[in-house]
Amino acid sequence: MSKNQKPNRITRRRFLKNATALGGAAVLGFPMISRSQAKTIRVGMPTILSGRVAQLGTSSRNAVMMEVEKFNAAGGLGGRRIEMVVRDSKGQPQEAARVSRELVNSEGCEILFDAEASSGAFAVNEVARDLGVLCFHINSETSALTADPKNRIPNAFRTARQGVHDSIAGGHYAASVAKAKGLRQWMTCSPDYAYGRDTTAQYLEYLKLFYPQAEVVGEAWPKLFQPDYTEVITKILQAKPQALYSCLWGGDLTSYIDQGNIYALFKATQFFAVNMADYTALTVVKNLPVGIHSGNRYIKTFPKTAANAAWGDAYRAKYGEYPTNWAWESATTANFLTAALKKANSADGKKLAEVLRGLKIDSPFGTDGTITMRAEDQTIIGYAIGWGTTISKEPYMPEVTAGDWKQILELELDWKKRNKYI
Amino acid sequence: MKRRGFAFDLGIATAVLVVLVILPILFPSKALIDFAIRVAAFGIFASSLNILVGYTGLVSFGHGMFFASGAYAFGLLMQKAGTSIPTAFLLTVLISAALAVVVGAICVRLKEIYFAFLTLAFQMLLHSLIISWQQLTGGDQGLMGGIPRPPFLGIDLSDQSQLYLFACATLVISLLLMRHLMQSPFGYTLRMIRDNAERAQYIGIRVWRMRLAAFVLAGTFASIGGIIMSLLMSGAYPEFAYWTISGEAIFMLMLGGTSAFLGPTVGTMMLLLLNDVITKFTEYYGLTLGVVILLFALVFRKGVADFVVEEWRRRFGENQA
Amino acid sequence: MDPAALADCLKTTSCVVTQVTSGLIIGMLLFLVAAGLTLIFGVLKVVNFTHGSFYMLGAYLALSVYKITDSFTLAVVCAGAGVALFGLVFERLFMSRVYGSNVLMQLLVCYAFILMMDDAIKLIWGAEFKSMGMPAAFQRPPILLAGGVIPAFYLFLIVIALAIGAVLWLVIARTRIGKVVRAAAHNPTMTSALGINTGLIYGAVFAAGGMLAGLAGALAAPVRSMAPGMGVSILIESFIVTVIGGMGSIGGALAGSLLIGLIRSFGSIGFPLFTEGIMFLFMAMVLVIKPSGLFGKDI
């Protein structure tokens, strides 16, 4: 937690005063909150501020605040400012849903920023479906959230990267490395939950598409937040694969690397860890093996533009820490909202949804300096996606090979057809 | 012993139901409606746990298992089988009862902390099953795509105010049924087992069978709480089967009290209110709630409803129970 | 499910050796944590649900001391002592007030501390996950042994865990302190009637249990990342181990740990997607067949 001002920090005295007032109000039966501040545009944001992934939720809030402050300082929407109402869901989907309903029903929020992990995102999606409120899914990368028609609703937009995009770009990169180095025997080691299973299966699918000689000689499935990876590591040592893929992330990935290191696991095997090039992990691992292949999460060196580097520096200067993957996604969300507000010249959810479909904005996180909200399934495309290898100090991943969006989109279409989504 | 009969309880229940129906007309707040639905779901859940803890003397750490089985069975029946809501409701209750028979038959032979741990083990087993069986349950993402809520008998539960009425009615009826059962000879047999299982055995009570009956009853009612939750959320999530849900239910019991029949429901209201107020003002929820819990456990040492009932009896000298 | 892979593994020596050693490593790390839990239950008949949080505190204390002094030994010692002190205060000021009441009150007090400690860690050390890094002394290639590999650091941990287990057993079985503790566990009223301060003993046992958890957290710190809330998985693992081995039995905790270690290491080959389920299933089976655990006796 940075020492900088926190947007919803309140003094103890005000807390007590509010608590008493609210206690009274609650006893009297939840009178409707007065809409005296009708001039501001209230945006509700359920996110995870406590527990194991609090770091991500906090960075999500930080990034949104940074962009919203810019918008407000520039005069907002004809004088109407955005006011964020951020709440902790503690990472529980039922709390995420409860908080979202409360934000809309009694806090007067007209827009939701869903900054939850996957189960929370699906819970908030159902709230958005029931209440018809405009909703941005900021952080959930699960492809099914927008690809599967049964989850899709006209008022929800995803402003996060998407698993299938990552896998196509990752598979293509892996295949080119594998071809060059003759890596035929592959193994996977991913966390055993929906994200881990889906992402790994898709990654292997595209690896084999681009490099049919690749063969999977074994799989290991540690639990999410597992403290000890010994059995997984020795299993991999047994199979002696030439290459290893993992979509472990955050603290799990660093534990895994620390434990793999003492077995000399990464000496004999090429390691492809899609979530490695994230500052939270890069800066924490003390003995980072050189040459881990990773996808970009957020990295200042990619896209290699002044705008991107400036954004990363500004964030770091403001909050005293590096931005995370959730941070750029959150900033992008705020940028999409403010762009839509200006274009629609209105804060009405329906009008905003109308202009959001197909909206293209300038963004430091776009491969070509722009990101587009694809109209048909209301998810973003064109964001920075690429792979490279790590070094153990700044800039951590100096060179990144950009993914080819034309190829990604073509194969994504095939993938959707195969899954009968379209 | 029986001071007032079923008719008296029925009268109170009807009065409460009337008040609950009028409430949203007087205070038309969606937040109030949401709150009441959650109270209904968790109130039934906590009260059902009290059949075990308060009346039978069996401390279960795994009661959330039936909350989850209710939510998942109902959600899956609605999503995959496309049944009507009453049919799914009935089938879910039956499925959960069957689950409770199997789990209970294994668990109730054990005593005290061993019973608690065995129920915990079964709950975690269910939790890892839900996470692992991704094709059916969606794994950690929960049941995706929403739970269809087609109208039946002119009732449309996708409408929040109708769901509110449905939840209130279910709460009142469930509580009435539980109350009736606990005031019946069966209920008094359970109390006898709680106070002295050996003596109960000597006078010819089949303790094992009675405990199992209580376990099944509790599990069945808990699943009804889960059904209401899945209707409200339009989904079901593996967190429902996690041990924290059982922990919260235990805290609800302790807050409200285990002796007074309405104690768990009072505790549910208190915990949910605490939760909602605390998360509104601080991200240090754990620190704040922890202090409140410590106050309760170390200073007050009894639930609010128990305290009120005892005070009442002390002052007005009603015959002791 | 992949029973064929398991059968293949069992046919080759190198696979059996590696998986057995990895089961041993997992087991010894588990034992380190579970020993404190079972000690406290054995003497006080209290299930210390805050045990995972004690472990977390130990890890964070070690991290800070290591950062300041750059000495792993000092970090481990300070973490053990710090958590022991914390355990003592926790027992004397809070737990001791709810011994008389039912198990639910004890559970509640523990639950409160789990919640508070997670937030306190977040306040003091921050929400982001941290990693300590491997001390230079252990940064060496793993040792080869009969076709299997053992990292030097794990060899060190196994020795330490065994030593701690041996010391614990010796103190309880062979010393006067041990006798008093056993007496207090067996019959607290009689013991206090003999002029022994049972309160002090209870405090000391809680401190010892806390120290074990703190040591475990500190010893594992070089290979496990830390984050607020990390205690939960540790708590559940130690539960499984102590229940299987027998609540209150140190030897049982050792046997239970090794069993779980082997289940995990061979399970990851035979049924990688359901190892956790298997562990709960095993725990349920033990409870059903022999509720007091495989080695369930009083200390």
Side-chain angles (χ1 to χ4, degrees), chain C residues 65-230:
Chain C
V65 175
Y66 184 72
K67 239 187 202 159
I68 298 165
T69 65
D70 210 27
S71 156
F72 184 55
T73 322
L74 210 56
V76 172
V77 171
C78 288
V83 182
L85 188 68
F86 187 84
L88 181 71
V89 173
F90 173 65
E91 195 277 340
R92 282 294 85 198
L93 292 186
F94 299 98
M95 281 312 272
S96 59
R97 291 168 198 269
V98 287
Y99 285 155
S101 43
N102 60 16
V103 62
L104 287 180
M105 278 296 176
Q106 299 167 8
L107 176 71
L108 269 190
V109 172
C110 290
Y111 186 48
F113 267 84
I114 294 176
L115 289 174
M116 292 193 299
M117 285 172 76
D118 279 351
D119 265 4
I121 295 280
K122 189 171 96 173
L123 264 176
I124 299 169
W125 278 279
E128 66 275 14
F129 66 86
K130 310 224 169 220
S131 147
M132 181 164 152
M134 184 59 62
F138 297 109
Q139 287 185 19
R140 53 183 74 212
I143 298 154
L144 293 169
L145 194 85
V149 275
I150 308 174
F153 180 66
Y154 282 163
L155 207 58
F156 161 76
L157 283 193
I158 291 176
V159 172
I160 292 273
L162 282 175
I164 288 175
V167 169
L168 206 58
W169 178 78
L170 273 177
V171 169
I172 288 168
R174 292 290 154 89
T175 64
R176 202 186 110 74
I177 305 171
K179 253 185 208 160
V180 175
V181 168
R182 273 179 293 150
H186 193 68
N187 192 339
T189 352
M190 181 62 92
T191 318
S192 67
L194 290 171
I196 290 164
N197 185 346
T198 44
L200 193 69
I201 293 175
Y202 285 179
V205 168
F206 235 98
M211 184 189 73
L212 287 172
L215 285 178
L219 285 168
V223 285
R224 294 184 187 174
S225 63
M226 297 158 218
M230 66 192 269

Side-chain angles (χ1 to χ4, degrees), chain A residues 184-230:
Chain A
R184 286 162 185 261
Q185 270 135 30
W186 282 71
M187 207 166 155
T188 68
C189 171
S190 294
D192 183 17
Y193 71 117
Y195 163 77
R197 289 198 195 175
D198 292 350
T199 311
T200 305
Q202 287 165 7
Y203 181 88
L204 290 177
E205 188 183 324
Y206 291 107
L207 167 67
K208 284 178 187 162
L209 179 76
F210 295 118
Y211 184 57
Q213 291 90 332
E215 176 200 359
V216 179
V217 295
E219 296 168 16
W221 297 99
K223 295 278 158 235
L224 191 61
F225 304 144
Q226 181 167 322
D228 186 350
Y229 294 91
T230 305

Side-chain angles (χ1 to χ4, degrees), chain B residues 106 109 114 125 284 286-287 301, chain C residues 97 108 119 273 277 288 291:
Chain B
I106 301 168
R109 297 188 310 124
Y114 299 107
L125 199 58
Y284 292 99
L287 216 49
R301 286 169 166 265
Chain C
R97 291 168 198 269
L108 269 190
D119 265 4
L273 289 174
V288 169

Side-chain angles (χ1 to χ4, degrees), chain B residues 111-146:
Chain B
K111 276 188 297 191
E112 296 156 14
I113 198 74
Y114 299 107
F115 172 80
F117 274 119
L118 191 53
T119 50
L120 181 69
F122 274 108
Q123 161 160 28
M124 295 307 289
L125 199 58
L126 183 68
H127 181 256
S128 57
L129 190 70
I130 291 173
I131 297 274
S132 291
W133 200 348
Q134 205 185 316
Q135 283 93 345
L136 183 71
T137 63
D140 63 293
Q141 303 163 122
L143 294 180
M144 291 174 285

Side-chain angles (χ1 to χ4, degrees), chain A residues 124-350:
Chain A
V124 176
N125 198 47
E126 291 313 311
V127 174
R129 195 200 298 265
D130 276 1
L131 302 181
V133 64
L134 180 65
C135 173
F136 290 87
H137 296 300
I138 300 187
N139 302 320
S140 174
E141 301 179 10
T142 314
S143 298
L145 180 60
T146 50
D148 189 342
K150 75 177 201 263
N151 293 321
R152 208 182 299 148
I153 49 175
N155 48 319
F157 295 81
R158 185 218 301 267
T159 38
R161 61 172 74 246
Q162 197 183 152
V164 68
H165 296 163
D166 245 358
S167 297
I168 295 169
H172 184 257
Y173 171 85
S176 63
V177 177
K179 260 179 215 158
K181 299 193 175 181
L183 308 175
R184 286 162 185 261
Q185 270 135 30
W186 282 71
M187 207 166 155
T188 68
C189 171
S190 294
D192 183 17
Y193 71 117
Y195 163 77
R197 289 198 195 175
D198 292 350
T199 311
T200 305
Q202 287 165 7
Y203 181 88
L204 290 177
E205 188 183 324
Y206 291 107
L207 167 67
K208 284 178 187 162
L209 179 76
F210 295 118
Y211 184 57
Q213 291 90 332
E215 176 200 359
V216 179
V217 295
E219 296 168 16
W221 297 99
K223 295 278 158 235
L224 191 61
F225 304 144
Q226 181 167 322
D228 186 350
Y229 294 91
T230 305
E231 78 270 22
V232 170
I233 292 166
T234 53
K235 182 179 176 179
I236 296 167
L237 287 175
Q238 293 291 313
K240 297 192 183 69
Q242 293 170 296
L244 175 66
Y245 168 79
S246 174
C247 65
L248 286 164
W249 50 272
D252 287 2
L253 179 61
T254 60
S255 290
Y256 178 73
I257 289 177
D258 281 336
Q259 295 175 22
N261 264 337
I262 58 174
Y263 274 101
L265 177 67
F266 308 110
K267 288 246 162 29
T269 307
Q270 291 282 321
F271 188 33
F272 293 76
V274 58
N275 293 314
M276 186 71 242
D278 186 37
Y279 288 111
T280 60
L282 290 168
T283 53
V284 164
V285 181
K286 299 290 186 296
N287 312 308
L288 186 69
V290 175
I292 295 180
H293 304 272
S294 174
N296 68 314
R297 299 296 95 183
Y298 175 76
I299 192 107
K300 265 165 48 186
T301 53
F302 183 70
K304 221 172 199 138
T305 59
N308 184 35
W311 186 84
D313 289 337
Y315 182 99
R316 203 175 166 206
K318 191 168 164 65
Y319 298 107
E321 58 192 21
Y322 285 100
T324 66
N325 189 36
W326 284 25
W328 81 260
E329 293 172 338
S330 304
T332 304
T333 313
N335 294 341
F336 264 104
L337 175 62
T338 53
L341 282 169
K342 281 182 191 144
K343 190 171 175 197
N345 195 25
S346 158
D348 177 68
K350 287 223 164 55

